[in-house]
Amino acid sequence: MAYRGPDGTPYKALTNMFKIEGLPKGIIYHYDVAFDPPPSGRHFGRQKLINRLQIKHANVFEPICPFDGMSSLFSLKRLSLGAIATFQIGFSDGVQGRPPPKQTEIIIRQVNDIDTKFLGRFLQSDPNLTENEYNQALLTILYCNVVLRQAPVMIHPHTPRAIFVEHGRQELGGGLELWRGYAQSVRPVAKTLLVNLDVTATAMYQSGPLFYLIMSFVRDFEGIRNPRDLAHLSPRCQSALSKFLQGVKIQFTHLGTNPANKMGTIQDIVPEGSQFVFEKDGNEMTVQNYYHAVYDIQIQHPNIIAVHLQSGAVVPIELCVVVPGQMFRGQLPQESRPKMLAFSSDGPERCLCSIMEAGNIFKYDTSPFVREAGIQVAKIPLQVDGHLLKPPTIHLAANQTMTPNDGQWNIRNFALYQPAQIGAWVVVIYDARFTDNDAAGFCQQLTETAKQFSLRFYKSTPPVMHQNGQGNISQQLQAANQMALNEGAPGARSALIIVILPPAADDLYAAVKHYGDVVHGFPTQCLIGEKCKKGLVNRNAQYCKNVLLKINVKQDGTNFTSSEVGKIMKKAPSMVIGADVSHPGPGSTLPSMSAVVGSVDANGTKFVASSNIQQARVEQIVDLASSIEYLLEMFKKFQAVQKLDIKCPQKIYFFRDGISEGEFLTTGIAEIADIKVGIETFMAKNNLTGPKPTFTYVVVGKRHHVRFFPQNGQQGQKNAPAGFIVDNVISTPNTKIKDWYLLSHNGRLGTSRPSHYTVLHDENAFTSDSLQSFCNGLCYNYARATSAVSIPTPVFYADLVCARARYHLSQGEGQVQGNQDDWKQINPKMAHRMYWV
């Protein structure tokens, strides 16, 4: 159902979607490809092998068949392979006099004859499609996607969805450089297919001499600038450098011009590598002597590190060159992220120009694969007709209200909706450069600013403690809490502990949160000393306001409410839930974290959380039923404290972050069943015999590449305005599913990303208008900001709880330890608090 609400103002925008004007016809032959052993280069390595295979056996693969980089090969004619064929292919042709190159066995099996006619029926939402016909339609879409990207993937480094180009690269530091890329996907919508194109970026290993890459890494890691110091790296730096270089492909400057002779893969590093002794022809010799005897090369830096290759050879780094276009798979250092953000944050006008230029990379007009498939892609981006939703009213204390302007509002000189009273607090300083005078000035500014919000501190001058971050954090925080209680208001049960940290103190932050949230059970507010001092110098009350918004909520206050949320929540006792699963970064041994947060009040502003540990990279929330039961129990307890005779919500609104469209029918359906189990278990344990709560399950997608661009002359906007919604033209062709794109926030940096909402289950009989307005309103009650956020607040909170949940693991030597036995639930004293804000 398209949005036609009475409050919606029509608004047109361009998208980064391009219509496919010619669809493939006839039969497409689909083959499964297997590699034994699989190549180490992931998609790029598989693509190289298939390229070599098709060139070597051109009589079989004529014309060249598109390959998806994983396991699917397509052809417009039946290949003369029989049911199965096996080929032996190497990465190189080999060189006379040298050992033959490593071979990979490629096994090809025919698996499908795809009839493209079913694609048209799928796009028309034909309800009579059989499962086999439905799958053939999906395979046709996959074929279109593969065909459109085949030309560039044969020459450019790539991932399954993006192509990266060297032009316009920028040094990132730490041995890395930034490359721009183009993401492409083919998306089915009602009656047609669209190509979605977007710009992206990735970190690559710095190409060129390996020596320069290593110097860049050690300079940023340990401040080393003199090449001679590579002979005296600390054990910590050696370990980090070895991990950083593992798997990097290099060429050698001493082996001539034949490319087949010049490739190797780094396994680790060797200290004083040129002095490494090995045996050759029964005699011992050093690496330095070997290169002098065999190649007449005098190693210039014989005492520094060398690289140990997977082949077993040890090579001086001055003879190595890093092959361009190798993607860095690790996690970017914290200090590099602002550079990456700036590099990848083009504004809408520049972003759209880059997207329009993507045709030069994908070669839609000239690619033989596209021509042979009969596909044509429009040159002009698709225009969509959307609407601007009316913003909700923001409610503050004493019935004061305000209307946001483009997703933002200012609460200067307004009292908070429900200001907290802080009976005891203390400042613990771990930053040696943060003095007592700094602490006094900051506390004075904080308490003066708090008065504007009607937020009261029992004392304007709390006790201050200087502590050593190398000491026992648990004992230090416990002592601080006791000191605050001794000097605080009579009857205060716990203190607010404000912790002043030095920059880049991730391990100290983790320890503070672990002991505050899990061990002792008292609220903590961590601040960076430099930022506090900067706010004092500039008399920047805004910094204190932002801090106070967090503190008020952690102390059980409420900052503001949203009218659209209250309108739905107050029709019947209701709970709004957000859920998410976060996964560990590349190379991490930590488990995945799940989080489910649920509201307990009638305004949808007070939340409780349930978090847990689960097997790494499992997307389904494995304990969802018990989490739902827990949230309902906390809801019941809150109503009892408020002296309300409400035992269970009548309606539940569940918002799920993180699952992809391919997981809707697996993870989504399984979690819907778990929600029902959780509700039934709660009602049975509490002997509740009335009607069960009805619930709505909505997936909120952020990991997509749909963008909107205002057309010339529209209100002078850089990005489309907050509240812009599109639920036609680019929506799913499945008429049984409601979905839409909502740009709820004001994007200040780069091109704003709308959120994609998909309703998988609805027992609450929402109209499209009311559900869309409710979702938009939920983006306006995020406690930490006086602006709308990009996703509903409960989903945002679930993200924060996931991030915080890793600190529930044990702390050892300043690091988070990760296995099931290390997991601790939140301290019961914190269970009712929004400790994650």
Side-chain angles (χ1 to χ4, degrees):
M1 181 187 300
Y3 178 81
R4 294 293 181 269
D7 295 328
T9 303
Y11 188 91
K12 297 179 185 292
L14 295 176
T15 70
N16 56 343
M17 315 276 271
F18 298 79
K19 186 176 180 181
I20 295 181
E21 297 173 332
L23 298 177
K25 295 181 173 61
I27 302 297
I28 300 166
Y29 300 94
H30 178 209
Y31 295 85
D32 177 76
V33 181
F35 299 84
D36 186 22
S40 60
R42 299 195 182 189
H43 312 282
F44 202 27
R46 291 169 186 253
Q47 187 68 56
K48 281 184 175 181
L49 285 171
I50 292 298
N51 292 350
R52 291 183 59 77
L53 169 70
Q54 298 199 65
I55 292 172
K56 185 175 181 179
H57 298 277
N59 59 321
V60 176
F61 303 95
E62 175 59 39
I64 292 177
C65 301
F67 176 61
D68 74 342
M70 288 297 294
S71 61
S72 288
L73 186 78
F74 299 94
S75 176
L76 294 176
K77 69 175 186 180
R78 192 181 301 278
L79 301 177
S80 55
L81 298 174
I84 185 171
T86 302
F87 302 89
Q88 295 288 335
I89 296 294
F91 269 104
S92 65
D93 295 324
V95 178
Q96 187 174 2
R98 290 188 171 273
K102 184 178 178 181
Q103 298 284 306
T104 296
E105 188 174 76
I106 301 179
I107 305 102
I108 300 180
R109 298 180 179 86
Q110 184 178 345
V111 289
N112 285 301
D113 291 353
I114 305 169
D115 193 336
T116 58
K117 69 182 180 184
F118 298 121
L119 174 60
R121 290 175 56 189
F122 170 80
L123 297 175
Q124 295 290 338
S125 301
D126 186 345
N128 298 317
L129 276 178
T130 66
E131 183 178 358
N132 177 58
E133 292 167 346
Y134 177 84
N135 289 334
Q136 289 198 58
L138 295 183
L139 283 170
T140 306
I141 296 171
L142 173 62
Y143 167 73
C144 293
N145 204 19
V146 173
V147 162
L148 290 173
R149 59 186 260 118
Q150 184 62 40
V153 299
M154 295 178 73
I155 56 176
H156 294 292
H158 58 275
T159 63
R161 293 207 171 207
I163 312 291
F164 297 96
V165 294
E166 191 172 5
H167 176 71
R169 65 183 179 178
Q170 178 180 310
E171 184 179 347
L172 179 60
L176 300 174
E177 57 190 22
L178 294 170
W179 284 33
R180 295 196 186 276
Y182 297 89
Q184 174 203 272
S185 62
V186 174
R187 299 187 58 82
V189 296
K191 301 182 180 179
T192 190
L193 293 179
L194 300 176
V195 180
N196 180 201
L197 285 174
D198 194 20
V199 290
T200 184
T202 194
M204 298 275 190
Y205 284 98
Q206 179 182 318
S207 56
L210 177 61
F211 187 90
Y212 294 153
L213 180 150
I214 290 175
M215 286 302 301
S216 176
F217 179 89
V218 299
R219 181 183 64 243
D220 287 6
F221 188 86
E222 214 163 43
I224 292 174
R225 298 181 177 275
N226 192 324
R228 293 188 182 89
D229 290 336
L230 292 177
H232 310 291
L233 297 179
S234 68
R236 178 171 169 265
C237 186
Q238 284 187 33
S239 175
L241 178 60
S242 183
K243 182 179 179 181
F244 177 73
L245 292 176
Q246 189 173 34
V248 173
K249 297 187 183 302
I250 55 174
Q251 294 173 315
F252 309 114
T253 59
H254 62 284
L255 291 182
T257 58
N258 190 330
N261 259 346
K262 303 197 302 175
M263 189 77 72
T265 304
I266 298 175
Q267 180 168 300
D268 53 27
I269 63 173
V270 180
E272 298 184 3
S274 293
Q275 306 305 321
F276 180 78
V277 178
F278 67 100
E279 187 176 295
K280 179 176 173 59
D281 300 329
N283 298 314
E284 288 189 345
M285 65 188 312
T286 65
V287 169
Q288 180 182 14
N289 292 338
Y290 169 80
Y291 280 97
H292 185 265
V294 177
Y295 298 102
D296 194 25
I297 293 174
Q298 185 65 46
I299 302 302
Q300 299 300 310
H301 302 283
N303 297 319
I304 67 174
I305 57 174
V307 288
H308 179 208
L309 307 182
Q310 289 181 0
S311 65
V314 175
V315 185
I317 62 174
E318 62 194 68
L319 303 180
C320 304
V321 176
V322 180
V323 177
Q326 298 183 72
M327 274 173 268
F328 175 65
R329 305 287 182 181
Q331 195 166 6
L332 281 182
Q334 192 73 34
E335 59 271 17
S336 298
R337 293 174 191 173
K339 232 181 206 183
M340 166 64 94
L341 184 62
F343 182 79
S344 57
S345 298
D346 287 341
E349 185 175 353
R350 184 173 175 182
C351 180
L352 183 57
C353 288
S354 296
I355 289 168
M356 297 295 289
E357 294 169 359
N360 298 329
I361 304 298
F362 288 96
K363 305 182 186 301
Y364 294 143
D365 292 338
T366 59
S367 167
F369 306 101
V370 177
R371 289 203 306 267
E372 289 160 3
I375 295 175
Q376 294 179 323
V377 180
K379 297 181 182 298
I380 299 174
L382 186 71
Q383 176 184 285
V384 290
D385 295 326
H387 280 71
L388 299 180
L389 296 180
K390 184 178 178 181
T393 301
I394 302 300
H395 293 264
L396 293 132
N399 295 319
Q400 298 177 92
T401 63
M402 59 177 59
T403 302
N405 179 23
D406 197 17
Q408 298 175 305
W409 61 98
N410 191 332
I411 59 173
R412 181 180 181 183
N413 299 325
F414 282 84
L416 299 179
Y417 184 85
Q418 184 183 15
Q421 307 300 313
I422 300 169
W425 63 309
V426 62
V427 177
V428 181
I429 301 173
Y430 287 102
D431 185 350
R433 293 169 294 183
F434 199 79
T435 66
D436 284 339
N437 286 338
D438 295 328
F442 172 71
C443 291
Q444 180 183 0
Q445 190 174 58
L446 188 71
T447 52
E448 287 178 356
T449 308
K451 292 176 183 177
Q452 300 175 24
F453 290 160
S454 295
L455 195 156
R456 299 293 183 216
F457 288 85
Y458 176 73
K459 292 182 67 173
S460 60
T461 55
V464 175
M465 300 176 64
H466 291 267
Q467 295 288 6
N468 185 343
Q470 302 301 315
N472 188 313
I473 307 299
S474 178
Q475 293 179 4
Q476 293 168 356
L477 295 183
Q478 182 68 10
N481 181 64
Q482 191 59 53
M483 178 183 287
L485 293 177
N486 291 342
E487 299 188 22
R493 294 184 178 181
S494 68
L496 169 68
I497 301 180
I498 294 181
V499 180
I500 308 297
L501 298 175
D506 292 349
D507 54 345
L508 193 51
Y509 177 86
V512 169
K513 293 305 179 183
H514 178 77
Y515 293 117
D517 295 353
V518 176
V519 177
H520 300 304
F522 42 61
T524 56
Q525 179 62 58
C526 291
L527 305 173
I528 302 298
E530 284 184 2
K531 293 185 178 180
C532 293
K533 292 172 74 170
K534 186 177 179 181
L536 286 172
V537 171
N538 299 331
R539 299 299 298 167
N540 184 6
Q542 186 59 47
Y543 178 77
C544 286
K545 289 180 181 178
N546 293 340
V547 171
L548 289 167
L549 290 178
K550 297 180 182 181
I551 289 175
N552 188 54
V553 175
K554 289 179 180 179
Q555 296 294 111
D556 298 329
T558 300
N559 293 342
F560 37 76
T561 66
S562 162
S563 62
E564 288 297 330
V565 176
K567 183 168 66 176
I568 296 294
M569 301 284 287
K570 292 175 182 178
K571 288 182 178 179
S574 303
M575 171 182 279
V576 58
I577 294 176
D580 187 26
V581 176
S582 68
H583 302 295
S588 173
T589 59
L590 293 175
S592 290
M593 304 291 174
S594 65
V596 187
V597 303
S599 65
V600 293
D601 67 322
N603 291 313
T605 59
K606 292 184 181 293
F607 286 81
V608 293
S610 170
S611 60
N612 217 327
I613 190 174
Q614 61 187 52
Q615 184 179 343
R617 295 174 180 82
V618 171
E619 185 56 51
Q620 182 179 337
I621 301 175
V622 295
D623 61 341
L624 182 58
S626 60
S627 293
I628 295 296
E629 181 189 347
Y630 171 80
L631 295 182
L632 291 173
E633 190 64 40
M634 293 296 287
F635 178 91
K636 180 170 73 77
K637 289 180 179 179
F638 181 85
Q639 309 309 312
V641 171
Q642 301 297 312
K643 304 188 184 312
L644 298 173
D645 187 23
I646 301 174
K647 300 293 190 296
C648 183
Q650 294 178 19
K651 297 181 181 295
I652 294 174
Y653 313 111
F654 187 98
F655 292 88
R656 176 65 156 94
D657 179 27
I659 66 174
S660 65
E661 294 175 5
E663 295 169 318
F664 286 176
L665 298 179
T666 53
T667 299
I669 297 302
E671 291 185 353
I672 289 170
D674 286 343
I675 293 171
K676 294 178 180 179
V677 171
I679 292 172
E680 291 168 358
T681 304
F682 168 78
M683 296 191 72
K685 285 186 176 180
N686 287 275
N687 298 316
L688 300 178
T689 57
K692 298 174 185 175
T694 54
F695 72 93
T696 301
Y697 184 107
V698 181
V699 177
V700 185
K702 299 179 294 182
R703 297 177 182 90
H704 62 79
H705 289 279
V706 175
R707 304 290 184 270
F708 298 123
F709 305 96
Q711 294 181 291
N712 292 336
Q714 284 188 323
Q715 304 174 18
Q717 293 286 337
K718 293 182 178 180
N719 277 295
F724 179 54
I725 189 168
V726 176
D727 62 0
N728 54 61
V729 182
I730 60 174
S731 299
T732 176
N734 188 340
T735 56
K736 297 179 181 179
I737 293 178
K738 296 178 183 178
D739 77 311
W740 64 89
Y741 292 89
L742 170 62
L743 190 64
S744 56
H745 65 298
N746 177 315
R748 300 179 184 180
L749 181 65
T751 303
S752 296
R753 177 184 305 188
S755 291
H756 185 206
Y757 294 76
T758 305
V759 184
L760 296 189
H761 183 82
D762 183 22
E763 298 173 350
N764 290 312
F766 270 110
T767 65
S768 289
D769 292 351
S770 60
L771 182 53
Q772 291 168 357
S773 294
F774 180 49
C775 293
N776 190 48
L778 282 170
C779 297
Y780 282 78
N781 64 346
Y782 181 62
R784 301 205 309 190
T786 55
S787 60
V789 288
S790 60
I791 55 177
T793 293
V795 179
F796 214 138
Y797 285 165
D799 286 347
L800 294 177
V801 174
C802 277
R804 191 67 158 260
R806 65 189 298 264
Y807 304 132
H808 292 201
L809 293 164
S810 296
Q811 306 289 308
E813 297 181 358
Q815 300 295 321
V816 175
Q817 311 296 305
N819 61 58
Q820 195 74 37
D821 295 335
D822 295 325
W823 172 258
K824 305 294 181 187
Q825 281 290 357
I826 194 73
N827 190 294
K829 297 177 185 176
M830 299 290 285
H832 69 285
R833 292 184 184 270
M834 293 172 62
Y835 60 89
W836 61 87
V837 172

